[in-house]
Amino acid sequence: MSKEKKNIADHPFFVWMGFVGDVAALSVLWLVCCIPLVTIGASTTAAFSVAGKMAAKDDYLIIRDFLVALKRDWKQATLLWGILAVAAVLIVTDYQIGLANPGSLGGALIAVSAALGVCLISMVGASFSLLGRFSYPGVRTVLADAVRLCLANPATMLLWLGLVLWLPVSYYFIPAVFFYLRLPWLFLGGGTCITAFSFAIRPFFRKLEKKR
């Protein structure tokens, strides 16, 4: 067999297709493990752990590494998810109160809830990506580092917000796009957002790794 045929798997096309397949597998695995709802935090942390290895060009196996991280970070990730979920409920409640109160008060509540919602989505990406890549003594430290990460990387956080919010926003402004892409994005969106953010935040994580 020729050397060219032996190395066909190294061809950029096949390397890229293998990467796309890994992202798709990670997306489905993340989605399935999120179904009980209480496991969303652990599943998201595990997905960030695998995506972080992909971004760092470490060796990885999607299913094995996902399950290892799921078990390893279960306690902290679930506690973190609980805190963020409570914050989400409070923000939605504030938004509903704003809708029920026309006038300047209602408008102010809606504006505040929208700003807090953006902050919360940013914290979700920052905190779970940190927990998936680094060891922490407690959730409070994760949240503190997540705030620092958001402040130090505004452009990357805007990318994360765009990845997470483009489909919901399209529901209001481009309904046809939403209805055509909602099912594909349901199965592929989670891993795509997590992987893209992991690659974007990699330069910052590289600096943290050197310090640690």
Side-chain angles (χ1 to χ4, degrees):
M1 184 178 291
S2 67
K3 183 176 180 181
E4 180 180 356
K5 290 184 178 179
K6 286 183 180 180
N7 296 332
I8 191 171
D10 296 328
H11 190 280
F13 173 78
F14 292 102
V15 172
W16 172 247
M17 291 305 296
F19 174 77
V20 171
D22 286 344
V23 174
L26 183 63
S27 295
V28 174
L29 192 57
W30 172 81
L31 179 63
V32 170
C33 291
C34 283
I35 290 175
L37 297 184
V38 71
T39 59
I40 290 177
S43 180
T44 303
T45 301
F48 267 116
S49 179
V50 176
K53 290 185 177 182
M54 295 167 68
K57 302 188 184 305
D58 297 335
D59 292 332
Y60 67 90
L61 292 173
I62 298 291
I63 296 177
R64 183 201 66 185
D65 291 348
F66 184 94
L67 294 178
V68 168
L70 190 73
K71 180 179 179 180
R72 180 192 65 213
D73 299 319
W74 170 266
K75 184 177 180 180
Q76 283 188 320
T78 303
L79 178 57
L80 178 60
W81 163 239
I83 293 171
L84 295 175
V86 169
V89 170
L90 294 175
I91 291 171
V92 171
T93 301
D94 181 68
Y95 178 76
Q96 294 296 332
I97 294 173
L99 290 178
N101 289 272
S104 58
L105 176 60
L109 290 174
I110 291 173
V112 169
S113 62
L116 291 176
V118 168
C119 293
L120 179 63
I121 294 172
S122 299
M123 286 294 291
V124 168
S127 57
F128 284 120
S129 64
L130 285 166
L131 186 57
R133 188 63 184 173
F134 303 103
S135 297
Y136 280 93
V139 172
R140 182 181 298 180
T141 311
V142 179
L143 291 171
D145 277 1
V147 172
R148 298 187 186 98
L149 187 153
C150 291
L151 295 176
N153 300 272
T156 307
M157 298 316 302
L158 284 175
L159 171 65
W160 170 253
L161 289 169
L163 289 167
V164 173
L165 295 176
W166 76 268
L167 189 61
V169 170
S170 71
Y171 174 79
Y172 293 98
F173 296 101
I174 319 175
V177 172
F178 174 83
F179 285 107
Y180 276 115
L181 297 181
R182 68 188 191 282
L183 288 180
W185 194 249
L186 172 65
F187 289 99
L188 301 176
T192 301
C193 292
I194 289 170
T195 303
F197 181 72
S198 295
F199 273 84
I201 204 66
R202 179 60 197 161
F204 182 77
F205 276 17
R206 190 180 296 115
K207 294 178 182 178
L208 292 180
E209 289 166 357
K210 289 180 179 179
K211 292 181 180 179
R212 294 192 174 202

